[in-house]
């Protein structure tokens, strides 16, 4: 059963996602636009649809708010740990020289961490909330967002080598 209502956990996750991305707009890697103009349009569409759906889902379902009496809190804890690792990723990037290799550097052996970490975190949040809408939305987002950044990463590696 789904419970409509405001999710403060969803709001916290979105803030953890959006604040570094807003800062990033003024700190993009050198030559990023060169990679962005060659993005697959199908992946862009999936990314945009996924972004909108995920943002809506995490805010309108109270299923994501903390329930201490449930063993499902383990999923919330794992999800939150991924979001914290995502923040570490951004701190490391903002302290770097801000080039493409810095932007796509792995963290804890997770490739394209800036794309993969939040997608995985939102997926686990959906598992925690037992919310099929967020899980499906995150899969759509993941295909688009991670797909785009894997393409950038592959092109970046070709230029470096």
């Amino acid at each position: 059963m789904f419970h409509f209502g405001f999710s403060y956990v969803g709001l916290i996750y979105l803030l953890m996602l959006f604040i570094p991305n807003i800062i990033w707009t003024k700190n993009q890697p050198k030559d990023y636009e060169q990679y962005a103009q060659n993005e697959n349009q199908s992946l862009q569409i999936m990314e945009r649809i996924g972004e909108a759906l995920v943002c809506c889902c995490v805010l309108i379902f109270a299923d994501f708010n903390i329930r201490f009496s449930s063993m499902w809190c383990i999923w919330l804890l794992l999800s939150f740990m991924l979001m914290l690792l995502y923040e570490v990723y951004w701190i490391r990037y903002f302290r770097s020289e801000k080039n493409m290799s810095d932007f796509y550097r792995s963290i804890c052996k997770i490739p394209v961490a800036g794309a993969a970490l939040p997608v995985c975190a939102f997926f686990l949040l959906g598992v925690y909330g037992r919310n099929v809408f967020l899980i499906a939305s995150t899969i759509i987002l993941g295909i688009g967002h991670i797909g785009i950044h894997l393409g950038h990463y592959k092109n970046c590696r070709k230029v470096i080598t």
Side-chain angles (χ1 to χ4, degrees):
M1 190 62 153
F2 304 105
H3 301 95
F4 285 102
F6 178 71
S7 173
Y8 58 86
V9 170
L11 177 62
I12 291 168
Y13 272 53
L14 289 179
L15 290 172
M16 291 175 78
L17 181 72
F18 288 140
I19 291 171
N21 278 278
I22 291 168
I23 297 168
W24 174 80
T25 62
K26 300 292 182 196
N27 294 279
Q28 291 184 6
K30 298 172 186 87
D31 303 323
Y32 182 78
E33 289 302 319
Q34 169 188 329
Y35 293 87
Q37 67 189 7
N38 297 319
E39 292 175 354
N40 179 305
Q41 286 188 327
S42 298
L43 293 177
Q44 283 181 331
I45 291 168
M46 290 188 79
E47 180 186 42
R48 296 298 180 263
I49 291 169
E51 287 170 345
L53 291 172
V54 166
C55 289
C56 290
C57 285
V58 297
L59 292 175
I60 67 168
F61 291 108
D63 301 320
F64 311 119
N65 292 331
I66 298 172
R67 300 179 311 272
F68 289 110
S69 61
S70 171
M71 285 302 294
W72 286 84
C73 279
I74 293 168
W75 295 110
L76 178 62
L77 180 61
L78 291 172
S79 173
F80 190 68
M81 288 171 55
L82 291 177
M83 285 305 288
L84 289 177
L85 193 56
Y86 178 68
E87 301 304 315
V88 170
Y89 159 83
W90 279 114
I91 291 167
R92 186 182 68 181
Y93 170 74
F94 291 134
R95 290 183 169 180
S96 74
E97 294 180 24
K98 298 176 189 75
N99 55 45
M100 289 299 283
S101 61
D102 295 322
F103 191 57
Y104 287 112
R105 216 167 92 198
S106 66
I107 190 166
C108 296
K109 299 190 181 192
I110 300 169
V112 292
L117 287 170
V119 169
C120 293
F122 279 97
F123 182 84
L124 292 178
L125 185 62
V127 171
Y128 163 72
R130 292 175 265 181
N131 188 296
V132 69
F133 296 114
L134 181 58
I135 292 169
S137 299
T138 305
I139 291 169
I140 294 167
L141 171 63
I143 291 168
H145 191 59
I146 295 172
I148 286 170
H149 288 283
L150 280 174
H152 290 188
Y153 175 70
K154 288 176 184 174
N155 290 332
C156 176
R157 289 185 50 99
K158 286 178 188 174
V159 170
I160 293 171
T161 56

